[in-house]
Amino acid sequence: MGDPSSNDTSMVHDNHMIHGTDTMFEGYDIMLGSNELVDSCQMIIGGKMGHGGEMILDYKLVDIHDNNMAHDSEIFPGSKMDHGYEMIHYDQRVLHGSEMVQDSEMANGNDTAEVAPPTSSRRPRKKSMVWEHFTTEESEGCTKACCKHCKGVFAYSSGSKMAGTSHLKRHITQGHCPVMKSQEPSTRGTGNGGQGTIEKPSKRRRIGYANAPFNPDLSSSYLVKMIILHDYPLHIVQQPTFLSFIEGLQPRFEVVNTDAMEAQVYAIYLKERDSMLKEVGNIPGRINLATGWWTTSQTLGYISIAGQFIDSEWKLHRRILNFVMAPCSCLENAVSEAISRSLPQWNMSDKLFTITGDYEPSSHDIYSVNLRDYLSKKNIPMLRGQFLVVRCYAHILNASASDITASVQSVIYKIRESIKFIKSCTSHEQQFTNIIQQLQIQSNKTLCLDIKGQWNTTYLMLLAALDYKQAFTMLEKSNDNYNQAPSAVDWEEVEVACRYLKLLYDSAHNIMATEDPTANIFFHEAWTIQREITSATDLEDPIFSKIAKDMHERFDKYWKDCNVMLAIAVLMDPRFKMKIVEFSYTKIYGLKGIKYVKVVDDAVHELYKEYVRQPLLLAPARIEQGANGDLPTDEKEILTNPPSTGGVLSDFDIYLSEVALSQIPKSELDQYLDEALLPRIPEFDILQWWNLNALKYPTLSRMARDVLAIPVSTVGRCSIFSSAGTEARMLDDYRSSLCPETLEALVCAKDWLQNSPPAPKLPSSTSEKK
């Protein structure tokens, strides 16, 4: 086979006979097409064979098409070819007319191998990688390619015309497919080992996390913050399974020991503390404190101090400032000393407004007096400390609920045992269900046992049991093994208990419904409960006296201590103002309510004057009264001697001066209280309202900022139903074993990190590099 013009050139046609002499053909393909010229065919001769014949091995794939010549055929050095004979390339088969020629067959001498004409039109096997992502579909005489991921349809062939696969490849590799666009691209192409073709890499290369540079300092910082935020023990860094986990993720990351991790935790604490100092220093108003009492299995006491404030954008914040070991065993003195140490640390000695604690009412008076005396030596509290100490509302709810459940403990025991009996086996449950159907009790409540320490679950258990009280009685009559059914008197006590537990339950839920509860919402809850228990006392209900007597005494004490402060807070709500105070006090006290309304009115005006005496940070938008309601001296002079306009109007100017002297302008507080109430809409944001009206009420808005930030409750929404809130909270054994400085660093840093701005994101895994 040589030049097309030479005599040795041969043409292969359909139905042509193939002859060979002493030559073995092994392992090659002949692909037959139609009417196309095949150039540069290469023959690779890989070996020789004796007996005058030659073995031809390891040829590349050569396409010899019908009715065409093979031009520029090359024979590589080291090969031999008998002149005048054709070389037939096949790989276990000849792709011509579906005939298969086995490896063992040889064309010897002048023997001929006849190749039958084609009997089918089977297309060549698709070798491109795109067919891993596409399927073909026949439609109206055309073949179309359909993407397996986004179901997009593309042209592939129409009759004898082929569209190729380049556009399909671009659809997959260059991010045109919307489904694969967000996925990390895998390596395209196939290594062929001499058999296939390797596709050219895409011009765009995507860089993912796997290719990102390793930053050991950043990884170490993330590990420290993970331990802080998720309360993991410090010695987790020495646990074998954790070390194996890190080794699998990044072998180059060196995990430090427990002591080094403790030092890193403290370094994070100091860094976040500096940021917190700046935040506290930028508070435009005063700060309110909330204290908590913790204990350990070693009976060591810890005191938590949290600050609550409203920032310059009128957003409410609460941050833990200190978590320190109690300096002494006496709770009252320990809290006073801890606060006195905390104030100068945070530069708050002249910014303190109120302190809220979760202590027993019996010690409230002593605690308040001691705390006022102790703090008055170093700073002057507002109104001589009249509102300095506030009692925790959630603590009162939990303590009152505990009083009620304790009074009906025997009945609660019977109901618990009854539910256990019913749930103990399927037959008991089926029998109880049949009794309910027989009595036609229409209730969808589910009987379930309560959770120890969660009084809301006890209330829900009693409430459900009330609906099935007749079924319990009938079950006792029909089942000899059951004898714990409550009596009729027991059920009466349960009804009374549920009535007062519902007051506490609804009040707690109303508070939980508010994401950031400001002080104004607590007045509505407190006066509603106070009215109910006052009405029950007036009726002298004997069952109430047994069930809710202790609760009444406890809550009545709280109301007397805190109702004025709660009333001032609700006055700052433009939807209620003084009107809600007048209405509620009349409901509670009747005709005597006017006296209590005056107490609130005097207190809010006295507090307002305290703010009038303080200089404004910005120039006031209107003329302000003096401390006693009088105008400043320079303002009097302006009104007394107005500029003369001359002529006929001089007498009018004198008249205006006399009127101005006889009428004292209203203060911001009086002007605010005299204005009409705003509509009560659920979406109302009281803080944003004061933000928008700060220029109109520059002094009153400063007072509202401090009053609305009072932490009426010291516990979070998740702990409001916990009866454990009436006692000191318990630290676990691990945290109890830590040194006080490390424990404070862990507790405070966790709170600060949770409330800090989110960290910047790592580079996206879909970022592209040309």
Side-chain angles (χ1 to χ4, degrees):
M1 190 179 294
D3 186 81
S5 61
S6 67
N7 295 328
D8 297 330
T9 304
S10 61
M11 299 180 65
V12 183
H13 300 281
D14 294 341
N15 305 321
H16 188 70
M17 302 294 292
I18 302 174
H19 303 277
T21 303
D22 297 325
T23 304
M24 177 180 288
F25 308 106
E26 185 169 327
Y28 306 99
D29 288 346
I30 294 179
M31 298 185 65
L32 303 174
S34 60
N35 303 322
E36 292 186 3
L37 190 63
V38 181
D39 297 325
S40 303
C41 298
Q42 297 180 350
M43 301 180 186
I44 305 173
I45 303 176
K48 295 181 179 180
M49 183 175 182
H51 307 292
E54 295 175 355
M55 180 180 290
I56 303 170
L57 303 171
D58 299 326
Y59 286 93
K60 287 189 176 179
L61 186 64
V62 179
D63 295 348
I64 302 177
H65 301 282
D66 296 339
N67 304 321
N68 289 285
M69 287 184 175
H71 296 282
D72 299 332
S73 301
E74 298 179 1
I75 301 179
F76 286 84
S79 64
K80 291 185 178 181
M81 178 177 180
D82 288 342
H83 186 75
Y85 290 92
E86 280 188 356
M87 305 191 80
I88 309 300
H89 310 70
Y90 65 96
D91 179 10
Q92 298 180 355
R93 61 193 181 280
V94 177
L95 297 180
H96 191 151
S98 303
E99 286 290 327
M100 183 74 73
V101 181
Q102 303 297 327
D103 293 343
S104 61
E105 293 182 3
M106 296 177 61
N108 296 323
N110 294 323
D111 292 341
T112 61
E114 182 175 347
V115 181
T119 59
S120 67
S121 60
R122 181 179 299 171
R123 290 184 177 178
R125 181 172 57 89
K126 301 181 180 67
K127 295 180 178 293
S128 176
M129 52 74 65
V130 301
W131 300 113
E132 299 176 6
H133 306 278
F134 285 88
T135 58
T136 57
E137 297 178 356
E138 300 292 337
S139 175
E140 299 179 356
C142 301
T143 302
K144 297 182 179 180
C146 179
C147 179
K148 296 179 181 180
H149 307 288
C150 67
K151 307 305 179 183
V153 179
F154 303 86
Y156 177 55
S157 68
S158 177
S160 60
K161 296 182 180 180
M162 303 290 292
T165 60
S166 297
H167 63 302
L168 306 181
K169 196 179 305 178
R170 288 193 297 272
H171 178 74
I172 297 298
T173 61
Q174 296 185 9
H176 296 168
C177 178
V179 177
M180 297 188 66
K181 188 174 182 180
S182 60
Q183 300 177 0
E184 187 74 12
S186 59
T187 304
R188 307 293 186 187
T190 58
N192 61 358
Q195 296 295 329
T197 58
I198 300 178
E199 297 179 3
K200 295 181 180 180
S202 174
K203 293 182 179 179
R204 294 184 178 181
R205 181 166 61 89
R206 296 174 182 257
I207 301 178
Y209 291 130
N211 299 320
F214 171 58
N215 188 332
D217 294 335
L218 184 62
S219 299
S220 180
S221 174
Y222 287 158
L223 175 59
V224 178
K225 291 179 179 178
M226 180 191 75
I227 290 175
I228 293 173
L229 289 171
H230 297 280
D231 296 327
Y232 295 138
L234 296 177
H235 58 261
I236 189 177
V237 295
Q238 292 183 329
Q239 294 177 354
T241 52
F242 179 78
L243 293 175
S244 300
F245 173 71
I246 295 298
E247 178 71 19
L249 289 179
Q250 179 52 264
R252 291 183 292 166
F253 182 66
E254 297 182 2
V255 182
V256 299
N257 58 27
T258 302
D259 293 337
M261 180 55 63
E262 187 175 2
Q264 292 183 15
V265 167
Y266 201 76
I268 291 287
Y269 162 75
L270 293 178
K271 179 182 177 182
E272 296 298 325
R273 188 178 184 277
D274 290 339
S275 301
M276 193 65 214
L277 269 172
K278 295 177 182 177
E279 186 175 357
V280 173
N282 292 329
I283 296 175
R286 291 178 172 266
I287 191 168
N288 301 275
L289 300 182
T291 63
W293 180 258
W294 298 72
T295 188
T296 68
S297 56
Q298 295 88 8
T299 66
L300 297 175
Y302 280 87
I303 297 172
S304 64
I305 300 176
Q308 187 156 304
F309 56 90
I310 295 174
D311 64 14
S312 57
E313 297 181 355
W314 286 86
K315 301 293 184 182
L316 184 66
H317 301 276
R318 180 183 288 196
R319 301 287 185 271
I320 295 180
L321 303 179
N322 296 97
F323 194 88
V324 296
M325 182 179 289
C328 57
S329 58
C330 178
L331 174 60
E332 292 80 6
N333 294 335
V335 173
S336 300
E337 188 172 346
I339 292 175
S340 64
R341 292 178 182 179
S342 176
L343 292 176
Q345 291 176 2
W346 295 94
N347 301 321
M348 300 184 305
S349 298
D350 58 345
K351 287 188 173 183
L352 181 62
F353 188 53
T354 64
I355 302 171
T356 305
D358 53 357
Y359 37 80
E360 287 296 323
S362 57
S363 60
H364 172 73
D365 295 335
I366 300 175
Y367 175 74
S368 300
V369 172
N370 292 343
L371 194 57
R372 290 191 192 103
D373 294 342
Y374 196 94
L375 296 178
S376 297
K377 299 175 182 178
K378 300 183 179 182
N379 59 78
I380 302 175
M382 298 290 288
L383 288 181
R384 300 173 302 279
Q386 181 179 351
F387 303 125
L388 178 63
V389 180
V390 180
R391 294 178 58 194
C392 174
Y393 183 74
H395 179 89
I396 295 300
L397 291 183
N398 292 331
S400 300
S402 297
D403 291 338
I404 295 174
T405 55
S407 64
V408 291
Q409 191 60 44
S410 61
V411 185
I412 293 176
Y413 173 80
K414 292 180 180 179
I415 293 175
R416 285 175 182 155
E417 292 301 315
S418 299
I419 296 176
K420 290 178 184 179
F421 177 83
I422 294 171
K423 301 291 184 180
S424 62
C425 65
T426 306
S427 60
H428 294 171
E429 193 166 5
Q430 184 61 47
Q431 183 182 10
F432 191 74
T433 301
N434 294 336
I435 293 173
I436 293 174
Q437 295 175 352
Q438 180 181 352
L439 295 175
Q440 298 182 351
I441 298 175
Q442 302 296 325
S443 176
N444 57 1
K445 293 185 177 68
T446 302
L447 283 176
C448 57
L449 291 172
D450 59 340
I451 301 172
K452 182 180 180 180
Q454 299 289 330
W455 63 264
N456 60 315
T457 62
T458 304
Y459 163 67
L460 295 176
M461 180 186 72
L462 297 179
L463 200 63
L466 276 174
D467 286 355
Y468 302 107
K469 60 182 180 180
Q470 294 180 352
F472 285 112
T473 303
M474 183 170 288
L475 179 64
E476 187 176 39
K477 294 178 180 178
S478 59
N479 193 317
D480 296 335
N481 295 323
Y482 172 64
N483 57 2
Q484 295 288 342
S487 64
V489 176
D490 291 338
W491 288 120
E492 290 181 6
E493 294 180 356
V494 170
E495 289 178 356
V496 174
C498 285
R499 182 172 58 170
Y500 291 102
L501 285 174
K502 184 179 186 304
L503 291 174
L504 307 178
Y505 182 84
D506 292 344
S507 180
H509 262 286
N510 292 337
I511 295 171
M512 291 175 62
T514 307
E515 184 175 357
D516 294 315
T518 47
N520 59 295
I521 70 171
F522 290 88
F523 180 82
H524 304 283
E525 309 304 327
W527 87 263
T528 302
I529 296 176
Q530 180 65 18
R531 179 189 60 181
E532 290 297 325
I533 60 177
T534 301
S535 300
T537 304
D538 294 340
L539 294 175
E540 298 182 354
D541 187 346
I543 298 180
F544 168 81
S545 300
K546 178 184 178 181
I547 303 300
K549 179 181 179 181
D550 293 337
M551 172 223 178
H552 174 255
E553 293 177 355
R554 185 185 299 274
F555 202 90
D556 189 61
K557 180 70 168 62
Y558 172 81
W559 176 255
K560 291 178 180 177
D561 292 336
C562 300
N563 78 91
V564 176
M565 183 276 299
L566 296 176
I568 292 176
V570 80
L571 284 179
M572 298 297 101
D573 191 334
R575 299 170 298 173
F576 297 102
K577 301 182 182 180
M578 187 63 77
K579 299 300 181 183
I580 189 65
V581 178
E582 296 169 354
F583 172 78
S584 59
Y585 281 20
T586 301
K587 291 291 184 180
I588 296 173
Y589 302 111
L591 298 177
K592 297 180 180 179
I594 299 176
K595 178 181 67 175
Y596 294 99
V597 171
K598 187 178 185 306
V599 172
V600 174
D601 185 73
D602 293 343
V604 70
H605 279 84
E606 187 177 356
L607 180 61
Y608 172 74
K609 291 177 183 179
E610 291 266 1
Y611 283 88
V612 171
R613 297 187 186 99
Q614 300 171 5
L616 288 172
L617 297 179
L618 299 175
R622 61 189 297 282
I623 297 176
E624 185 53 75
Q625 289 179 278
N628 297 320
D630 298 331
L631 290 173
T633 305
D634 53 348
E635 302 295 344
K636 289 183 180 179
E637 185 177 352
I638 293 175
L639 294 177
T640 306
N641 302 305
S644 176
T645 56
V648 182
L649 295 179
S650 59
D651 292 340
F652 178 67
D653 294 333
I654 296 173
Y655 169 74
L656 291 178
S657 300
E658 292 174 352
V659 171
L661 290 175
S662 62
Q663 295 181 351
I664 300 176
K666 290 183 178 181
S667 66
E668 290 180 23
L669 176 60
D670 292 330
Q671 179 183 346
Y672 163 78
L673 293 176
D674 289 344
E675 289 179 351
L677 302 180
L678 295 183
R680 297 192 303 277
I681 55 176
E683 299 82 9
F684 180 74
D685 189 335
I686 187 172
L687 296 182
Q688 285 307 305
W689 187 90
W690 279 105
N691 185 24
L692 296 174
N693 289 272
L695 291 178
K696 182 179 180 181
Y697 304 113
T699 301
L700 187 61
S701 63
R702 290 191 294 124
M703 184 176 113
R705 186 197 303 272
D706 296 341
V707 170
L708 293 175
I710 295 175
V712 181
S713 177
T714 62
V715 301
R717 293 185 296 169
C718 297
S719 303
I720 199 168
F721 289 117
S722 175
S723 58
T726 61
E727 303 172 355
R729 283 159 280 189
M730 180 71 69
L731 290 172
D732 57 46
D733 292 338
Y734 166 71
R735 295 211 160 199
S736 302
S737 66
L738 298 173
C739 68
E741 293 78 12
T742 302
L743 180 57
E744 181 179 31
L746 287 169
V747 173
C748 294
K750 177 182 179 180
D751 180 73
W752 300 338
L753 289 173
Q754 286 176 334
N755 292 284
S756 61
K761 295 182 178 179
L762 291 174
S764 174
S765 61
T766 59
S767 62
E768 296 181 352
K769 185 177 180 180
K770 297 283 186 178

